[in-house]
Amino acid sequence: MNFLRKLFGNYIIRHLMAMVLVVILLCVGIGFGLDAYTHHGEGIVVPDLKGMTYEKAYALLDEKGLAIVVNDSGYNKQLPANSVLAQTPAFGQKVKQGHIIYVTVNSPHSPTFAIPDIVDNSSLREAEARLMAMGFRLTAPQLIDGEKDWVYGILCQGRRISNGDRIPIDYPLTLMVGKGTFDDADSILYVEPVGESEVDEFEEVKEPSVN
């Protein structure tokens, strides 16, 4: 009996140890397999695409096994049309093969913006602040007759524009601002009447006397 117990005891222990070893080998093998499949520790460095034309950026990324997608557009008059303004992921990051690089390209035309409600509705300081915040470039104001520092109109390339008109952002604007004086034609002259005021004359009528 002791012999059988020892025999079967050793047999079970050997099998348990063999099972544990198989499990360990499977875990190690799966780990190495996943690393190989996902290219763990390897990556492609994203190149700097800013300033490149879209065609050149496409060719460069295609050579490296990466893809490119345009997801936005902007405007920079210092750069040629369809050149890359921004990219995601950024330059220097590591990505896997086939990864998509999203880019913002330069529009061939400057964007247009609607003129806000400033004509005859704001002071010079308020109008300048709003237009410059939008990105418009302003020339020296044109002074006209009217209330001082009040905006009466806007000029763009010699043409008078109104609230709501869409104007390219790179077109300079000129505000038409009151200089604090008024045209004589706009003044109303009030003259007091000369002499005594006229009074309607009336004759008092008496009741007839009763005899």
Side-chain angles (χ1 to χ4, degrees):
M1 293 293 294
N2 292 334
F3 173 76
L4 292 175
R5 288 178 182 176
K6 290 182 180 179
L7 177 63
F8 283 104
N10 293 334
Y11 178 80
I12 294 174
I13 292 173
R14 286 197 299 271
H15 274 72
L16 288 175
M17 292 179 63
M19 292 174 62
V20 170
L21 182 60
V22 169
V23 171
I24 293 174
L25 291 174
L26 283 175
C27 292
V28 172
I30 292 174
F32 277 110
L34 288 175
D35 286 348
Y37 179 75
T38 59
H39 303 284
H40 182 72
E42 299 177 3
I44 301 172
V45 178
V46 177
D48 187 6
L49 306 176
K50 291 183 181 179
M52 289 186 186
T53 61
Y54 174 81
E55 292 76 14
K56 186 176 180 180
Y58 178 91
L60 178 60
L61 292 179
D62 184 63
E63 181 182 345
K64 291 180 175 292
L66 302 175
I68 183 171
V69 171
V70 177
N71 68 335
D72 201 359
S73 64
Y75 180 71
N76 185 336
K77 62 182 179 181
Q78 305 297 332
L79 296 175
N82 295 320
S83 58
V84 177
L85 299 178
Q87 65 182 86
T88 303
F91 163 60
Q93 293 189 14
K94 286 187 176 182
V95 296
K96 298 175 185 177
Q97 186 174 10
H99 194 87
I100 297 175
I101 309 300
Y102 295 94
V103 296
T104 300
V105 297
N106 197 28
S107 173
H109 305 290
S110 59
T112 61
F113 292 95
I115 297 298
D117 186 17
I118 58 177
V119 176
D120 205 24
N121 193 40
S122 61
S123 66
L124 172 61
R125 179 176 296 180
E126 293 171 340
E128 287 179 334
R130 294 183 66 180
L131 292 173
M132 292 176 69
M134 295 174 65
F136 283 107
R137 181 168 57 89
L138 304 178
T139 62
Q142 182 182 105
L143 299 179
I144 62 174
D145 292 320
E147 184 180 344
K148 185 174 178 59
D149 291 338
W150 189 251
V151 177
Y152 289 95
I154 305 175
L155 295 175
C156 179
Q157 294 188 330
R159 179 175 65 89
R160 189 160 182 170
I161 59 177
S162 305
N163 297 334
D165 288 349
R166 297 193 69 87
I167 305 298
I169 196 65
D170 57 346
Y171 283 16
L173 304 179
T174 302
L175 297 175
M176 303 173 69
V177 181
K179 58 183 177 181
T181 60
F182 294 87
D183 194 336
D184 292 339
D186 296 333
S187 301
I188 300 177
L189 182 63
Y190 180 78
V191 181
E192 292 285 348
V194 180
E196 298 180 356
S197 59
E198 296 182 358
V199 179
D200 293 337
E201 296 181 358
F202 65 91
E203 180 179 355
E204 183 179 359
V205 177
K206 297 180 180 179
E207 295 180 2
S209 58
V210 180
N211 294 331

